[in-house]
Amino acid sequence: ILISQDLYEGIRLANPSDVKGILELTEPLTRRGLLRRRSGYDIECACSNGEFFVWKRDDSTLGCASLQRFDAVPEKAELGCFVVASSCRGKGHGA
């Protein structure tokens, strides 16, 4: 029996150490004009504010999304920067 407290695969709040993986996912789509450009600093701030989530498998970042909450309407939020790694697309992971 293999027992580990480490997350093998799952979605969690991103932290500043995830910035590199998020940029690697988003940059190709940014270059194609499908996502707005976010600097590493912008993403790091969003991670620190609890506004970014990542889908990780082992040490690989397979997906990300930002969740902007509205102060005036706390029960509503906007989903943005929703990206799934090209190797995982078309398999129902982003549905």
Side-chain angles (χ1 to χ4, degrees):
I1 296 176
L2 177 64
I3 299 173
S4 174
Q5 291 181 320
D6 295 332
L7 176 69
Y8 164 69
E9 179 176 353
I11 297 170
R12 63 167 173 76
L13 274 171
N15 59 58
S17 68
D18 293 309
V19 171
K20 181 179 181 225
I22 293 169
L23 285 171
E24 288 172 355
L25 277 178
T26 59
E27 188 57 34
L29 299 174
T30 301
R31 280 196 309 271
R32 291 176 49 201
L34 299 173
L35 287 177
R36 73 172 175 83
R37 182 160 303 282
R38 292 168 174 83
S39 69
Y41 177 76
D42 292 336
I43 293 172
E44 184 175 351
C45 288
C47 290
S48 295
N49 291 333
E51 298 172 354
F52 244 99
F53 292 82
V54 288
W55 170 30
K56 302 279 284 192
R57 181 179 298 145
D58 290 329
D59 291 327
S60 299
T61 304
L62 301 177
C64 67
S66 67
L67 188 66
Q68 292 283 146
R69 294 170 184 90
F70 299 115
D71 292 335
V73 190
E75 67 275 7
K76 295 189 180 184
E78 177 183 60
L79 183 64
C81 197
F82 189 92
V83 180
V84 174
S86 58
S87 61
C88 297
R89 291 183 194 148
K91 299 177 183 176
H93 296 298

